[in-house]
Amino acid sequence: MIRKARAVWRGTGRDGNGDLTTDSGVLSATPYSFKTRFESEPGTNPEELIAAAHAGCFTMALAFQLQTAGFAADELATEAAVTIEQEAGGFTIKRSALTLRAKVPGVDRAKFEELARTAEKNCPVSKVLNAEITMEFELS
């Protein structure tokens, strides 16, 4: 399976702008720029998209872990907070912090944590990130 996205950029790094498009059409000429990345201008940025990918990947991986263990979630809600820091020579994504709120009938806290930690380590996006990954959860 191969998934594709395209980026087009016009102008300089600070004053230019670009757009992102995915084959699925979910992103279609979606704007991004220095201001959408490092300030508050409307549009998207690579870190936001990585956060969305990590939250989605982890949450689905956890749903499969739960299913395999005989549980079904009423709801899994995950936020991923991706941190980018400036270093010598550029910027680096340092962390992705996952915060999960889960409603899963019948599972005890220890079993849930075991399944969540497995999902955290094994979702494909976690595996590709060269960053510290943390996960906190609230189970009800």
Side-chain angles (χ1 to χ4, degrees):
M1 179 176 7
I2 297 173
R3 301 289 186 219
K4 295 181 184 177
R6 288 170 300 290
V8 176
W9 190 263
R10 295 165 291 281
T12 64
R14 182 173 289 276
D15 297 321
N17 62 72
D19 55 71
L20 301 168
T21 301
T22 58
D23 280 353
S24 70
V26 170
L27 299 178
S28 180
T30 303
Y32 80 113
S33 66
F34 180 88
K35 290 180 180 181
T36 67
R37 193 169 191 185
F38 298 107
E39 297 174 11
S40 316
E41 187 171 288
T44 193
N45 59 72
E47 294 73 31
E48 176 181 71
L49 297 172
I50 290 168
H54 199 199
C57 183
F58 163 75
T59 305
M60 185 180 281
L62 179 53
F64 277 108
Q65 288 291 318
L66 289 164
Q67 177 182 341
T68 299
F71 302 99
D74 287 345
E75 183 174 86
L76 302 172
T78 306
E79 176 185 90
V82 169
T83 302
I84 184 171
E85 295 179 7
Q86 190 168 11
E87 295 183 335
F91 290 86
T92 300
I93 293 174
K94 291 292 214 173
R95 278 176 290 295
S96 182
L98 300 170
T99 303
L100 168 65
R101 286 182 295 108
K103 294 178 186 171
V104 184
V107 69
D108 67 48
R109 185 173 177 80
K111 183 64 175 177
F112 180 81
E113 183 167 6
E114 173 193 328
L115 298 171
R117 297 284 176 206
T118 299
E120 172 197 357
K121 288 177 183 58
N122 292 310
C123 91
V125 175
S126 288
K127 288 179 178 181
V128 78
L129 289 176
N130 185 21
E132 174 189 2
I133 298 170
T134 62
M135 193 259 312
E136 295 179 8
F137 68 90
E138 176 184 310
L139 176 63
S140 61

